[in-house]
Structures are given as C-alpha cells and as structure tokens.
Amino acid sequence: MILKSLKLTHFRNYESGQLNFHNKVNAFVGMNGMGKTNILDAIYYLCLGKSYFSNGDRFIIMEDKDFFRLEAVFDTETDTEIVVIKSQSNVRKEIEVSGKKLSKIGEHVGRFLCVIIAPADIQMMLEGSEERRNFLNNTIVQTDRQYLEDLILYGNLLKQRNALLKSFADLRYFDALLLESVSNGMYAPAQRIYERRAAQIGQMKQIFEDTYADISGRRENCAITYQSQLKDYDLEILMKTNEHKDRMLTRTTSGVHKDDLIFSMNGEPLKNFASQGQLKSFVLSLKLTQYKLLEINSGKKPILLLDDIFDKLDQHRVKHLLALLKDNNFGQVFITDTNEDRIKIILDELKTEYSIFTIENGFAHIQ
C-alpha cells in the first residue's frame, strides 16, 4: 500500500496544499511549529478517520474557517483508491472512498493500515491506563472488525449503565431489573474483548522483547503484562459483587474499561526507573511491535509515521534503530526532523530512496 498524494484544505495551519510522495521514504524538515507534524496527522486521519493529536475536529479546522478537507490517492495491491474526508463545524464528518460515501467510521478503519510514533507517546503511555488501552485497541481494530464492533457496543452500554447509576442517585430510587437489562448486554462483548486482548498481548510479548533488545543493544530487559479483572472472574459475577459500590460511586467499577498494560524494566516499574533515552526506546519498540503485528495479521505493510524520533536518543540507540529500520524492510515511511543535515545522513546510511520536503509556515517545498 502506497500513499501517492495528499491534498489539504483548511487543515490546521494549511490553507491549501498538495504533496506528491515517494514510494519509499519521505522526510519533512523545518523549524518547530511550521507544520511538519500536521502532515503526519493528516495522513493518520486519512487512514484511521480521526486525528492522533486532537480530541475533536474543532481543534483541527483552521482558525476562522468552518471546515477542513483531506484528499489522498492510495495505490493498493489491487487498485487505486481516492479517499476524501471532510469535516464541517457542527456537521457529521463525511468519508468517501473511490466515490462511495461510508455510513460509519467503522467501515473505514482497517482499510489503510498506519502506525505513528511521536514524542507525546512517552507521556501518554505513562500517564494513565486509558492511553495504554487506546494503544492496544488501535492495534487490534485495524485488523479485526468484530473487535471494533464489540468496543462500540460495550462503550455505548457502559455509558447507559453509568447514566442509570447517576439517575438512581439523583432521584433516590433504584430499579434492579432496569440496571440488569443494560448489564446483561455487556457480558458477551466484554468477554470477547478480554480474550482478544489477551491473545494480542501473547502475540506481542516476544516481538516486543526482541525489538527492544535490538534498539537498546540488549542493555536492559523490558516486559509487558496484561492486567484485567476478567482474568479471574466473569463480568457478570464482578458486576453483581460490586453493585453496591457502583451505586455509591455512581459509575461502573468492573469491566474491560479498567484493563491496563503494565510496563517494566529489569523487573521494576518503567516510569520509576527509566531514563529519557530508555523511555523513548521503550515506546519506539512498542510502536514497532505494533507495526509488525499489523503486518503479520493482515499480510500488508502499514504506513509508518515517525515524528521527531531521533531527538534525545543517544548515538548508540540511533545506530541500533537505524539497523532495525534497514533490516526489517518497512513499507512507505514518513519522517519529520528539525535537523536537515542529520536526516540526510540518516537516510543515506539507510541506503534507501527518498524525497525531502522543506516545511515553512504551512507550505511544503520539495528539494
């Protein structure tokens, strides 16, 4: 799968623009704040139907405008497909693939596989369990449509259950049958979500450990552990056991929305002992593992987006990362960097074909 071209209109700091891409590597260079990362976010949006960096399209639409539009041409194994996404203020976004309007975003997810690695990932992965669940979900949904449907179903029922619990507290009454009617619908999708996550982590562990060892030069041992309440009990038992607590707290305290990934280094919690370089190596390994899993499970090479990944990595780790990129035959890659000389040296060392774009205030110029 190759992204041939991209058109942006009123997307973040881009009034309008068009870029034609190289089949191998595309590098975007320029000072911070010029719009390099915005191009990567546009590509991610075209693949997944949402921004990687913003919650809500209102933060993506260019200031003083009321819509944005993205258009891209993808060459797939069998065809050429044109993707158009338009989002207008207070209007539902539209996704069109080769002239066909999609009725829901779920029809689009998984069509074009994509992995992004960005500096913000470090904080996101360490801050809270929701970000780690999102990473796991993002990995699975791109190759498993049933999992996406289960997530949506479970999430909608969870909102209903929490709303019921709050209304019971506000109105000082309780309807056990009504609560159970909502809870019943959550049991089956929760079990499927748990089983799919457990299987994915089982598939992920060895790939991750090997990838981290390659990047770090085997200087540390890192591990991922999947933590879920459903490991020991069915959701039905958990909900009935915790019903009184749920009513007191007016929220659902049991379920796969409480799952987490535990990251460790040399047997200790990652965030307590890892240096900045080690944290960056950990997240890089996690995302490259995601890439390999998508490739294994789909038989396709995802697009790889690398945002400023060489900053704050010591030369030893940069060397190992370059070897990994060189040896693993990735598909199309997009890289941003503030240092033009550095990225040229890196790309020449990779012995790959590439195009370099200079980004300046929302304008892109190919060198």
Side-chain angles (χ1 to χ4, degrees):
M1 181 186 69
I2 300 296
L3 175 59
K4 301 297 291 184
S5 65
L6 168 66
K7 292 181 182 178
L8 310 93
T9 305
H10 302 166
F11 186 86
R12 295 190 179 276
N13 69 325
Y14 287 87
E15 174 79 30
S16 64
Q18 177 170 348
L19 300 96
N20 297 309
F21 298 125
H22 197 290
N23 289 0
K24 293 293 186 181
V25 178
N26 297 272
F28 307 100
V29 297
M31 297 173 61
N32 288 326
M34 294 294 103
K36 303 185 303 297
T37 299
N38 293 344
I39 294 176
L40 299 193
D41 198 29
I43 297 170
Y44 184 88
Y45 201 118
L46 283 157
C47 292
L48 276 296
K50 63 179 182 178
S51 167
Y52 186 72
F53 298 100
S54 297
N55 291 321
D57 288 355
R58 66 186 183 279
F59 302 111
I60 299 171
I61 298 172
M62 192 175 197
E63 190 175 355
D64 298 326
K65 307 297 181 182
D66 65 354
F67 78 96
F68 77 78
R69 184 180 187 275
L70 297 172
E71 179 179 335
V73 177
F74 289 91
D75 276 354
T76 67
E77 293 81 358
T78 58
D79 205 354
T80 295
E81 299 199 65
I82 300 174
V83 180
V84 177
I85 299 180
K86 182 179 178 181
S87 182
Q88 189 171 354
S89 300
N90 303 316
V91 178
R92 185 180 179 185
K93 80 177 71 175
E94 296 178 3
I95 302 178
E96 185 179 291
V97 179
S98 297
K100 179 185 177 183
K101 285 188 178 181
L102 307 184
S103 60
K104 55 185 179 180
I105 192 172
E107 295 178 15
H108 184 63
V109 175
R111 190 184 298 267
F112 306 105
L113 306 181
C114 181
V115 172
I116 186 169
I117 307 175
D121 291 338
I122 294 175
Q123 203 58 33
M124 286 170 58
M125 290 295 187
L126 297 180
E127 275 186 349
S129 59
E130 182 177 1
E131 285 73 18
R132 293 186 286 274
R133 283 193 303 276
N134 286 342
F135 163 75
L136 188 55
N137 290 338
N138 183 273
T139 306
I140 302 172
V141 298
Q142 293 193 59
T143 57
D144 190 332
R145 185 64 55 83
Q146 179 62 53
Y147 182 82
L148 177 59
E149 292 175 0
D150 284 334
L151 277 182
I152 293 170
L153 174 59
Y154 180 87
N156 289 337
L157 290 170
L158 178 63
K159 289 178 183 177
Q160 290 180 36
R161 192 176 193 274
N162 287 342
L164 272 180
L165 290 167
K166 188 173 187 311
S167 71
F168 292 155
D170 291 344
L171 300 174
R172 297 186 179 182
Y173 86 103
F174 179 63
D175 187 331
L177 287 176
L178 181 57
L179 186 66
E180 180 62 18
S181 70
V182 175
S183 303
N184 275 339
M186 300 174 69
Y187 302 150
Q191 186 63 32
R192 289 193 294 269
I193 290 169
Y194 164 71
E195 291 173 358
R196 188 65 182 87
R197 286 175 176 174
Q200 185 73 110
I201 294 299
Q203 188 183 22
M204 177 184 292
K205 279 186 174 182
Q206 192 60 55
I207 298 173
F208 168 77
E209 291 171 12
D210 291 344
T211 303
Y212 186 87
D214 287 341
I215 291 178
S216 68
R218 304 185 183 274
R219 292 192 289 184
E220 306 96 23
N221 294 316
C222 289
I224 307 170
T225 305
Y226 175 39
Q227 187 176 78
S228 178
Q229 298 170 334
L230 271 68
K231 180 181 179 182
D232 299 313
Y233 301 98
D234 290 341
L235 182 57
E236 183 175 4
I237 294 172
L238 289 168
M239 282 189 166
K240 288 178 178 177
T241 302
N242 295 322
E243 184 179 287
H244 180 69
K245 182 165 83 169
D246 290 357
R247 290 176 62 188
M248 292 290 292
L249 297 174
T250 68
R251 56 184 169 82
T252 304
T253 59
S254 307
V256 290
H257 60 289
K258 296 291 184 180
D259 287 0
D260 201 357
L261 297 179
I262 308 303
F263 300 148
S264 61
M265 178 176 289
N266 295 331
E268 300 290 345
L270 180 71
K271 65 180 180 180
N272 295 344
F273 296 94
S275 67
Q276 277 295 107
Q278 289 170 333
L279 286 173
K280 195 155 192 177
S281 295
F282 191 99
V283 172
L284 278 169
S285 302
L286 205 58
K287 291 300 191 79
L288 292 175
T289 298
Q290 181 184 46
Y291 185 100
K292 292 177 184 178
L293 287 172
L294 290 176
E295 184 179 7
I296 290 169
N297 293 331
S298 70
K300 305 172 185 176
K301 292 184 182 297
I303 289 174
L304 182 60
L305 309 175
L306 306 175
D307 188 24
D308 199 22
I309 64 165
F310 297 107
D311 187 39
K312 295 186 177 66
L313 275 185
D314 59 53
Q315 287 303 308
H316 182 82
R317 292 174 193 272
V318 169
K319 179 181 177 181
H320 284 284
L321 175 58
L322 287 177
L324 198 63
L325 291 174
K326 186 185 297 183
D327 296 342
N328 278 271
N329 190 26
F330 289 91
Q332 194 178 23
V333 179
F334 296 82
I335 305 177
T336 69
D337 203 330
T338 54
N339 188 324
E340 183 176 336
D341 293 334
R342 174 172 59 190
I343 198 66
K344 284 184 176 179
I345 292 171
I346 287 170
L347 293 175
D348 287 338
E349 188 170 335
L350 284 173
K351 294 182 172 60
T352 185
E353 299 175 31
Y354 60 85
S355 291
I356 294 182
F357 301 81
T358 301
I359 310 298
E360 199 169 5
N361 291 319
F363 292 94
H365 310 280
I366 190 167
Q367 295 186 12

